[in-house]
Amino acid sequence: EVEIIRGDALNLLHGASSLWKLEIGNWKLVGNIPYYLTGRLFRVIGELERKPSRVVFTLQREVAERLCVHPSLTRGKCGMNLFAAAVQIWAQPKIIKLLKPSDFKPRPTVNSAVVALETRNVCMTHDALLHYYSFIRKIFKQPRQTIINNLSRWLKIPKGEIRKRLVEFNLSGDERPQELSIEMLQRISAMFQSA
């Protein structure tokens, strides 16, 4: 049985804590969203206890490309960023179609893209996830700074101590945040959760 729920995504999702406790099973979220709501909407979805198995949104193309970035594919270019790190912890995004302004009525002034996000199974407690979000906000606050500078400023721990801990991940500390993968960001976040 399929039920389609139409409405304002933010209003529906803010009430989701009670709505999704019902036995609704596998659910998906699809929409052509106002572009100014993108960041806020992804934050709400990211904090849901019961996330959709698939999300398909039309986004501004530039935002879609930032969301889908992967450090290993962007050598010499801008890599991982705060937005991508916040979403890719719970979903694997992929651009499935590019759209031109002429594809819409009325025509927007920007190019667009359809993005599909497959929800990942992430073994993190709610507290660990909240710590991860706090961690990436700090580490990406100065994205051109090295991770050791960002971490020492945030954690108030001597750089030598941080460097010793990062050796476990074969990192020197001189890397920039955009060079790190989601898996590495998650591991470093977990290491410093009790710091």
Side-chain angles (χ1 to χ4, degrees):
E1 183 179 325
V2 175
E3 180 183 358
I4 298 173
I5 302 172
R6 292 184 174 86
D8 182 307
L10 279 177
N11 289 339
L12 286 170
L13 292 173
H14 275 304
S17 55
S18 57
L19 178 64
W20 307 131
K21 283 179 183 171
L22 302 172
E23 293 298 318
I24 62 169
N26 182 15
W27 67 285
K28 297 173 175 59
L29 186 59
V30 179
N32 183 11
I33 62 173
Y35 293 162
Y36 70 90
L37 285 181
T38 302
R40 191 166 154 211
L41 185 54
F42 274 114
R43 275 195 302 278
V44 171
I45 298 168
E47 292 177 6
L48 287 176
E49 188 177 335
R50 200 167 187 185
K51 294 177 180 55
S53 61
R54 189 166 212 240
V55 176
V56 180
F57 282 154
T58 303
L59 304 177
Q60 185 174 335
R61 180 173 173 175
E62 177 184 305
V63 173
E65 289 170 347
R66 281 179 45 229
L67 174 64
C68 297
V69 76
H70 192 282
S72 64
L73 303 177
T74 54
R75 193 138 323 259
K77 300 179 184 176
C78 183
M80 188 60 68
N81 56 73
L82 177 60
F83 181 46
V87 174
Q88 289 185 26
I89 191 66
W90 59 267
Q92 182 60 52
K94 181 181 179 183
I95 294 175
I96 57 175
K97 186 173 180 61
L98 297 177
L99 301 170
K100 303 183 295 294
S102 58
D103 293 325
F104 296 87
K105 275 191 177 179
R107 291 170 63 122
T109 57
V110 296
N111 291 313
S112 304
V114 179
V115 178
L117 300 97
E118 302 295 333
T119 302
R120 302 171 56 198
N121 290 322
V122 182
C123 298
M124 293 176 80
T125 65
H126 184 66
D127 285 346
L129 186 60
L130 292 180
H131 173 78
Y132 171 83
Y133 288 139
S134 176
F135 167 77
I136 60 173
R137 279 195 298 272
K138 301 292 192 305
I139 203 167
F140 281 101
K141 190 163 190 171
Q142 299 288 335
R144 295 179 194 273
Q145 291 282 324
T146 61
I147 59 175
I148 198 162
N149 283 338
N150 283 330
L151 286 172
S152 66
R153 189 177 301 115
W154 172 43
L155 298 169
K156 311 290 190 232
I157 295 175
K159 291 183 182 181
E161 176 62 29
I162 294 172
R163 221 177 266 283
K164 278 186 208 170
R165 295 197 201 182
L166 292 175
V167 166
E168 183 181 324
F169 304 130
N170 295 318
L171 296 173
S172 68
D174 296 326
E175 298 82 4
R176 303 290 192 271
Q178 62 263 29
E179 297 172 34
L180 303 177
S181 66
I182 281 296
E183 292 72 25
M184 188 60 72
L185 287 166
Q186 185 179 352
R187 290 171 70 193
I188 298 171
S189 170
M191 172 184 275
F192 291 107
Q193 186 166 359
S194 58

